[in-house]
Amino acid sequence: MMGLFYMLVFPGFIFLSVFGMAAEYCDRKLYARLQNRVGPPWFQPLADFIKLVSKEEIIPEEANPSMFKIMPVLALTATITAFFYIPAWGYKALYSFNGDLIVVLYLLTIPTLTFFLGGWYSTSLYSKIGAVRALTQLFAYEVPLLMSILAPALLANSWSLSEIAKFYAQHPVYWFFNLLGFAISMISLLGKLEKVPFDIPEAETEIVGGTFTEYGGKLLGLFRLGIDIEAIVGSALLAAVFLPFGLGLPPVAGFLLFVLKVMGVICTLSILRTIFARLRIDQMMAFCWKVLAPLAFVQLFIDLILKWIPLK
Amino acid sequence: MHKVVIPIGPQHPALKEPESFSVTLSGEKIMKFSARLGYNHRGIEKACEERTYVQDVYLTERICGICSHSHSTCFTQAVEEIAKVDVPKRALYIRTLVGELERIHSHLLWLGVAGHEVGFDTLLMYTWRDREVVMDILAMLTGNRVNYGINMIGGVRRDVSAEQAKAILKAMDTLEERTKYYIQVATQETTLIQRLSGVGILSHKDALKLGAVGPTARASGVNRDVRRDDPYAAYSEVKFKVITDDHNDVYGRTLVRMGELLESYSIIRQIVKKMPEGPIITKVPRKIPAGEATSRYEAPRGEDMHYVKANGTEKPERVKVRAPTLANIQTVAKMLEDRQLADLPIVIAAIDPCFSCTDRLTGIRQTGKRKKNVLKWEELHTYSITFYKEHGIDFTDLNKKMAKALK
Amino acid sequence: MIRPGKMLKQVLDSIFRKPATTNYPFTKAVMPDKFRGKIIFHPEKCIGCKMCMRDCPAGAIQIRKIGDKKFECEIDLGKCIYCAQCVDSCLKKALETTKEFELAALERNKLKVTYHADTGEVSKE
């Protein structure tokens, strides 16, 4: 019974949906304010969701209906599942075991795969090009993201997110040595969430809507909700690994601090997406492999050296 | 991935007007590009023949939403030439003033659109915000933000007061500061440069060969500007530089447009300072004597050309419009050779296309003697050579010279 | 010199500035003086020369004689292109521009405005 409550209400589906929409509102409002515009009212993400859900569902004749329908649901479930393994407040996540870091990263890859499959099975030309771009992009940002998150884990000598958080809370000095990794994973997260400058798979001026061209109604609503929650989970992951301070606080204060940390990451992402132009896919590949990946290696080396020569 | 043909348009987010392009892709690479015009044909030339000259001024103004003043000035100039009207000096100055203000708003608009095409929406928001300054000036001067309706055959309809002149000068200072900032952004922002530079290369030779006009040609080093080469309105009395660039790519076109903005500010300052006193309009009879005239105008997008034939009545017998986009659209296929799909929107946007100005219809009638209905390109070519030879004009030497120059 | 994120300073400044956009239908837009908006007709000045009808590029004006030296004017706001040529053409200044520009209507016949010599402005039903 408690499990069902965790899954559906808190910290599961309902909590994450509300938090995701709040984060989307913050992102959009900040984006607008940075561009000297007024921006949407607070209920805009909810209004958009309700509008999409109440619209009719159109499935292209040539598309594979079951695959077309199942993909948004899969994206949503994968992101919600990933959240259970992230220590949100306190030292311990809801469920935790040694190796949950890999599971979280794996679960966060699933949305991209569903974008690919959803785009591919909708058989539209724009969707197909978007799908291929999404997959190509996956290979570019996933490696630096993995390596930059791996480095703190190496230093903490654990594959469990809760253990990593605990380690850094006990040794706050090490936190400063992971700042490079934080920056790298932030940029990679932009790629994961498909935001400017890495919104190549859904570049509207090039391929209309990319993967989501054929999607509409409920299914698009679910996809958008999935992306919102993915942003939350990704930011929470970064917050857990790179910002592990104030974990010993009492529940309510700890929860507020967690929300603040996630919003901080989300707002930084908004600022980043405001000041850049969209890159081309080849430029994005070159940037990720030639700049981000070597930098992630540097981060790995820093942590390895620290492991051999511990700070006193 | 195997080769796919994807349609860009007639309805597509990258295009502001309906026009159809079809792109053959191999993966991300563009193998073949073809454009199909004609989705916006409105029959304006024919409509001009049905209306009086006064009405035509407003009709030609609506050929284009952005360079509306260009078209109406071009038309009135042609009519004034036929009617041999002396347009008052002050009217010419006001025409130049509005023309340059229009150039400013068009180029700022273009910069925003270019930003949007490469996914840099922040640039779009800021340039369009600053464009409001010049839009407000235009609304104050002419009574509307677009379709200014300031031209009339024989002069202009509204005068510029002293306070308005002051407001214009003040706006120019703000805009100059902002433009300098955008030049910095365009030349320093890494992601923007990566998307613009080296994209859509049009060599000097190709620009000449394909007959590019305006900023597209000037960014390929073609030093050509109607304002200097064939001065109209008050351009012979102001000093300005023709901005050229030898980057040959979209980046160069951006720099040319930004440079032209700075020149426009200086032109407007000179115009406001030098503006002579006097009447703004002379009375022109409704019936224009028979005759024909061609008039050229440097619109923000390039050289605009109007041909008017009058037959002594209130209505023109023939009006022909060659909008700048028609000259530039040929270059897009060349620019997109070996480029990626991602470059397509910005390359099309870089010529600052205005498709509704471009679309014309050519009807070919059977003349009786000829059996074939339609002439093929080669036949048309030989026909034109023989036609001109019969009329005593020989282009053989000129053709050879052109071929030599292009080599 | 190449600098990534050149606009960063500008965008961060904007947070503390008032938005450049306005909440339009709720905040009214102000038009400049001499704005070419809706055309109004003064029946008492009209002499029925019909120069406005002749010059109107859109054929939006109809002047009708309804009595001795009395004229009524019908302007089709859907056809009117707001060039104000009729105002220039009118010899007696019977036509005038206003600043009014929110003229949309849900029915086509509501766009036809008749200025009657005796009763004033009437929208045709």
Side-chain angles (χ1 to χ4, degrees):
Chain A
M1 201 57 211
M2 209 53 202
L4 206 62
F5 178 76
Y6 284 152
M7 244 188 287
L8 288 181
V9 183
F10 188 86
F13 178 66
I14 290 178
F15 164 70
L16 281 177
S17 309
V18 172
F19 195 14
M21 280 176 189
E24 191 197 326
Y25 164 71
C26 280
D27 175 54
R28 281 168 72 173
K29 184 80 180 176
L30 185 64
Y31 187 55
R33 293 298 291 120
L34 290 172
Q35 291 175 344
N36 211 350
R37 292 186 285 127
V38 177
W42 63 270
F43 52 83
Q44 193 65 50
L46 185 66
D48 283 354
F49 184 71
I50 292 171
K51 184 201 81 176
L52 280 175
V53 167
S54 60
K55 274 187 160 181
E56 73 171 317
E57 214 169 275
I58 300 167
I59 298 171
E61 221 166 72
E62 305 243 318
N64 182 333
S66 55
M67 286 301 263
F68 192 77
K69 274 185 197 162
I70 209 163
M71 282 308 147
V73 184
L74 207 57
L76 195 61
T77 31
T79 46
I80 292 176
T81 317
F83 191 71
F84 294 136
Y85 298 102
I86 295 172
W89 48 90
Y91 292 110
K92 215 158 161 48
L94 200 55
Y95 300 103
S96 121
F97 59 90
N98 202 6
D100 56 11
L101 177 66
I102 302 296
V103 173
V104 168
L105 284 170
Y106 163 72
L107 285 171
L108 278 180
T109 318
I110 288 183
T112 316
L113 272 174
T114 61
F115 298 163
F116 166 71
L117 287 172
W120 188 262
Y121 277 105
S122 52
T123 61
S124 148
L125 284 170
Y126 299 118
S127 307
K128 273 191 176 176
I129 292 169
V132 172
R133 281 182 176 190
L135 213 56
T136 319
Q137 190 169 308
L138 176 77
F139 290 112
Y141 66 74
E142 202 63 37
V143 173
L145 180 66
L146 193 67
M147 285 205 293
S148 61
I149 290 183
L150 214 61
L154 267 178
L155 191 56
N157 211 4
S158 166
W159 290 106
S160 157
L161 275 168
S162 305
E163 294 286 317
I164 295 171
K166 206 185 266 174
F167 175 81
Y168 282 101
Q170 281 158 6
H171 306 86
V173 194
Y174 284 133
W175 177 73
F176 292 101
F177 294 95
N178 285 334
L179 279 178
L180 180 64
F182 189 35
I184 295 164
S185 50
M186 193 84 97
I187 295 169
S188 309
L189 196 61
L190 273 178
K192 202 177 214 20
L193 300 173
E194 295 182 358
K195 286 186 175 177
V196 178
F198 302 133
D199 68 334
I200 305 156
E202 46 187 298
E204 59 149 23
T205 47
E206 293 157 22
I207 47 172
V208 188
T211 18
F212 306 126
T213 310
E214 300 298 329
Y215 274 96
K218 284 181 209 66
L219 298 175
L220 183 65
L222 285 183
F223 253 142
R224 298 244 330 235
L225 193 62
I227 294 171
D228 283 353
I229 294 176
E230 195 189 0
I232 293 288
V233 177
S235 311
L237 177 68
L238 294 201
V241 176
F242 293 104
L243 303 171
F245 41 78
L247 289 176
L249 290 172
V252 177
F255 176 68
L256 286 179
L257 187 69
F258 164 73
V259 171
L260 220 62
K261 277 187 213 167
V262 171
M263 284 301 179
V265 175
I266 290 211
C267 289
T268 319
L269 292 178
S270 307
I271 294 174
L272 282 177
R273 86 178 172 117
T274 316
I275 55 172
F276 291 119
R278 182 194 306 129
L279 291 175
R280 262 199 321 260
I281 189 88
D282 57 326
Q283 289 167 346
M284 194 263 180
M285 290 294 267
F287 175 71
C288 284
W289 284 104
K290 289 182 185 161
V291 181
L292 280 190
L295 281 178
F297 262 117
V298 171
Q299 176 64 54
L300 264 177
F301 275 119
I302 291 173
D303 283 330
L304 280 176
I305 290 165
L306 282 176
K307 210 171 169 191
W308 283 327
I309 319 160
L311 292 173
K312 281 290 161 200
Chain B
M1 222 169 142
H2 59 283
K3 277 185 192 169
V4 285
V5 183
I6 69 162
I8 303 286
Q11 304 296 331
H12 192 278
L15 303 172
K16 309 292 170 265
E17 289 166 88
E19 208 65 64
S20 175
F21 302 100
S22 131
V23 192
T24 311
L25 287 180
S26 169
E28 284 277 321
K29 209 169 164 194
I30 296 176
M31 310 299 284
K32 213 178 123 197
F33 171 87
S34 64
R36 197 188 146 197
L37 303 178
Y39 285 86
N40 256 328
H41 184 252
R42 296 169 293 170
I44 281 201
E45 287 176 5
K46 188 72 190 164
C48 278
E49 295 165 19
E50 308 283 315
R51 284 167 172 77
T52 63
Y53 288 99
V54 175
Q55 291 171 333
D56 280 347
V57 174
Y58 300 105
L59 187 63
T60 49
E61 194 168 63
R62 278 155 180 84
I63 290 175
C64 180
I66 305 293
C67 29
S68 55
H69 183 73
S70 309
H71 284 282
S72 73
T73 311
C74 205
F75 177 77
T76 41
Q77 277 173 8
V79 178
E80 280 156 6
E81 198 183 317
I82 301 170
K84 299 193 176 60
V85 185
D86 265 333
V87 184
K89 261 274 167 68
R90 192 172 172 86
L92 290 178
Y93 270 77
I94 292 172
R95 271 183 198 173
T96 317
L97 176 69
V98 176
E100 286 305 314
L101 287 170
E102 181 184 79
R103 193 181 312 280
I104 293 167
H105 108 69
S106 172
H107 281 354
L108 281 175
L109 175 124
W110 178 85
L111 184 65
V113 169
H116 176 66
E117 303 286 13
V118 298
F120 197 4
D121 280 353
T122 311
L123 188 65
L124 165 82
M125 297 296 171
Y126 278 92
T127 44
W128 282 37
R129 180 193 74 185
D130 296 330
R131 176 172 163 264
E132 282 306 302
V133 176
V134 70
M135 297 307 279
D136 286 346
I137 292 286
L138 280 168
M140 181 190 77
L141 277 182
T142 65
N144 218 328
R145 287 160 58 89
V146 284
N147 293 335
Y148 319 111
I150 194 149
N151 278 324
M152 188 28 60
I153 293 161
V156 292
R157 290 170 63 198
R158 287 194 181 188
D159 206 351
V160 179
S161 71
E163 299 103 73
Q164 283 172 337
K166 218 180 255 170
I168 292 169
L169 289 178
K170 208 179 144 208
M172 288 309 114
D173 291 340
T174 345
L175 284 170
E176 186 162 8
E177 189 203 319
R178 293 303 300 167
T179 309
K180 281 182 178 157
Y181 176 73
Y182 293 127
I183 293 177
Q184 280 180 9
V185 171
T187 51
Q188 290 178 14
E189 169 56 45
T190 323
T191 48
L192 194 61
I193 295 173
Q194 280 203 313
R195 285 307 301 273
L196 299 185
S197 107
V199 173
I201 299 231
L202 181 74
S203 64
H204 183 76
K205 219 169 94 184
D206 286 333
L208 285 175
K209 209 162 103 189
L210 295 166
V213 293
T216 314
R218 288 196 281 275
S220 296
V222 182
N223 196 345
R224 201 180 276 166
D225 191 322
V226 183
R227 291 180 290 170
R228 181 199 58 197
D229 302 340
D230 181 12
Y232 53 88
Y235 283 109
S236 53
E237 287 159 42
V238 289
K239 277 188 203 140
F240 62 97
K241 273 188 293 185
V242 174
I243 310 283
T244 55
D245 196 278
D246 47 10
H247 275 93
N248 297 353
D249 54 7
V250 180
Y251 183 62
R253 276 158 230 155
T254 315
L255 293 185
V256 165
R257 288 196 171 95
M258 295 296 103
E260 281 182 10
L261 277 178
L262 293 179
E263 285 306 308
S264 286
Y265 303 142
S266 114
I267 293 174
I268 288 174
R269 288 199 184 106
Q270 294 175 45
I271 291 278
V272 171
K273 215 190 241 170
K274 281 186 184 173
M275 198 178 282
E277 292 299 321
I280 54 165
I281 192 158
T282 45
K283 195 111 181 84
V284 180
R286 282 171 177 270
K287 284 183 181 166
I288 305 289
E292 56 183 346
T294 310
S295 138
R296 300 203 287 165
Y297 184 100
E298 185 71 24
R301 283 110 190 254
E303 181 193 330
D304 181 23
M305 203 198 81
H306 280 228
Y307 164 81
V308 180
K309 189 175 181 188
N311 55 4
T313 59
E314 281 191 0
K315 294 172 183 172
E317 187 170 303
R318 176 83 174 97
V319 177
K320 164 78 193 148
V321 180
R322 204 295 315 270
T325 309
L326 190 65
N328 280 333
I329 195 81
Q330 318 293 335
T331 62
V332 174
K334 188 85 202 165
M335 289 179 201
L336 280 171
E337 271 174 13
D338 298 323
R339 296 307 307 181
Q340 293 193 5
L341 175 65
D343 293 331
L344 184 129
I346 182 66
V347 167
I348 294 179
I351 65 163
D352 202 356
C354 177
F355 297 120
S356 61
C357 324
T358 307
D359 284 347
R360 298 280 168 274
L361 190 78
T362 310
I364 301 163
R365 244 182 304 173
Q366 194 165 7
T367 43
K369 274 182 196 172
R370 243 176 285 276
K371 274 173 192 169
K372 272 183 189 169
N373 241 346
V374 180
L375 288 179
K376 281 187 183 152
W377 179 250
E378 290 81 16
E379 290 167 334
L380 189 68
H381 191 230
T382 42
Y383 174 73
S384 73
I385 290 172
T386 47
F387 174 86
Y388 279 109
K389 264 189 188 158
E390 276 167 18
H391 286 72
I393 305 164
D394 199 349
F395 281 127
T396 12
D397 287 351
L398 201 65
N399 277 339
K400 273 178 196 163
K401 265 185 200 167
M402 277 289 283
K404 226 180 206 176
L406 286 176
K407 271 172 197 169
Chain C
M1 194 179 62
I2 282 176
R3 221 193 286 170
K6 167 75 189 167
M7 286 191 86
L8 181 64
K9 198 171 163 289
Q10 174 97 52
V11 296
L12 289 181
D13 278 352
S14 289
I15 298 183
F16 307 106
R17 279 219 241 151
K18 242 183 95 195
T21 48
T22 51
N23 206 355
Y24 162 62
F26 307 107
T27 339
K28 286 275 167 252
V30 186
M31 290 298 122
D33 297 339
K34 292 199 217 164
F35 179 75
R36 302 197 312 263
K38 186 181 175 184
I39 312 277
I40 50 169
F41 178 68
H42 302 294
E44 68 279 2
K45 291 184 189 166
C46 184
I47 53 165
C49 68
K50 297 192 180 177
M51 283 304 280
C52 48
M53 272 175 77
R54 199 172 153 191
D55 276 347
C56 181
I61 288 194
Q62 290 290 324
I63 302 279
R64 280 188 292 264
K65 194 168 183 180
I66 50 164
D68 188 33
K69 285 185 182 173
K70 270 188 182 171
F71 299 92
E72 72 164 11
C73 168
E74 185 190 301
I75 300 178
D76 190 337
L77 297 179
K79 277 184 182 171
C80 181
I81 58 171
Y82 304 96
C83 61
Q85 174 62 37
C86 49
V87 179
D88 286 10
S89 298
C90 188
L91 300 168
K92 295 286 168 192
K93 299 210 174 359
L95 289 151
E96 198 189 344
T97 53
T98 58
K99 283 194 195 181
E100 205 182 332
F101 68 99
E102 288 156 319
L103 306 169
L106 286 172
E107 278 163 55
R108 193 172 289 199
N109 53 13
K110 279 196 183 146
L111 286 169
K112 284 191 179 159
V113 181
T114 312
Y115 295 91
H116 199 272
D118 303 322
T119 50
E121 179 183 336
V122 193
S123 269
K124 224 178 195 178
E125 289 305 320

